[in-house]
Amino acid sequence: HSIENFQGIVVAVRRYSERLRGSLKLQSSVAKLMRCAEFSVKNKMAVAVIERLRDYDKLSNISLKIRSDRGECNLIEGKDIITLIHSERFESLIKRELGSKIQRYIAGLAQIHIQFDDTYETTPGVVCYIYSLLAHHGINIREEMSCGTDQLIIVSQEDAASAMQILS
């Protein structure tokens, strides 16, 4: 009876080692991608969560005003809400223009910009790796978005330095 158990264990170990080899290869690809990435951080960022507008011209004008004054402005559209990630110094503009449409406003954030090479889009597990790494160190990602080979992560300003050190 113990020989049958032993053979079963040997088969299980072989399967696990094959799976582990594949996992190590994937981790190696992600680690290489992270080493080659370029990082930057912007402090004094804020997030306005607003109810979905029918008037996109208003959002476009807000974005134009912020960008023309060398500020940061990114939009994430959900089904029922829009998240506006922007430089904190435009808080009064956002609140004046969007007023009662604002469901939540959070200041004191930082934006980490990670720029990867072209292999980012075909390397599985990169976003999972970043999320897991930051979560393991107690850093909460408040918002996140990607565009092509760029990844933007929003964290609290207090966590920005630690997050940068951990990621780079």
Side-chain angles (χ1 to χ4, degrees):
H1 200 70
S2 64
I3 291 177
E4 290 173 14
N5 288 344
F6 179 75
Q7 288 174 338
I9 291 170
V10 169
V11 169
V13 167
R14 283 185 184 146
R15 285 185 188 148
Y16 181 73
S17 70
E18 288 171 14
R19 192 177 315 149
L20 187 60
R21 238 181 268 123
S23 176
L24 290 174
K25 183 179 177 187
L26 182 60
Q27 285 179 353
S28 174
S29 298
V30 172
K32 180 181 175 195
L33 191 63
M34 292 297 290
R35 278 193 303 275
C36 296
E38 294 180 14
F39 294 84
S40 63
V41 66
K42 291 186 178 169
N43 63 345
K44 297 184 180 178
M45 296 295 289
V47 168
V49 177
I50 59 174
E51 66 183 60
R52 195 169 179 88
L53 300 174
R54 295 176 197 260
D55 182 7
Y56 280 94
D57 287 341
K58 182 176 257 189
L59 283 175
S60 180
N61 289 336
I62 290 169
S63 179
L64 254 159
K65 285 178 187 176
I66 292 172
R67 290 172 192 273
S68 68
D69 198 10
R70 296 173 25 143
E72 283 289 316
C73 183
N74 292 296
L75 295 168
I76 305 171
E77 283 188 65
K79 182 179 173 225
D80 299 320
I81 61 169
I82 295 173
T83 300
L84 180 64
I85 301 168
H86 61 281
S87 304
E88 217 174 66
R89 64 187 162 105
F90 296 99
E91 179 178 355
S92 60
L93 169 70
I94 301 296
K95 288 184 174 178
R96 183 177 64 246
E97 295 292 324
L98 299 173
S100 64
K101 301 287 185 191
I102 299 172
Q103 295 179 354
R104 191 169 63 250
Y105 191 89
I106 307 157
L109 302 174
Q111 175 178 284
I112 298 173
H113 180 178
I114 310 170
Q115 190 170 19
F116 296 100
D117 65 28
D118 291 342
T119 60
Y120 169 72
E121 294 177 310
T122 57
T123 304
V126 179
V127 174
C128 180
Y129 175 79
I130 292 169
Y131 274 47
S132 298
L133 193 58
L134 293 177
H136 178 75
H137 288 87
I139 297 173
N140 185 34
I141 297 173
R142 304 298 297 262
E143 295 291 340
E144 174 274 332
M145 67 184 293
S146 64
C147 181
T149 57
D150 293 12
Q151 181 83 26
L152 299 176
I153 298 170
I154 307 299
V155 298
S156 71
Q157 218 161 253
E158 300 85 49
D159 289 336
S162 297
M164 284 290 288
Q165 184 177 8
I166 291 163
L167 293 172
S168 59

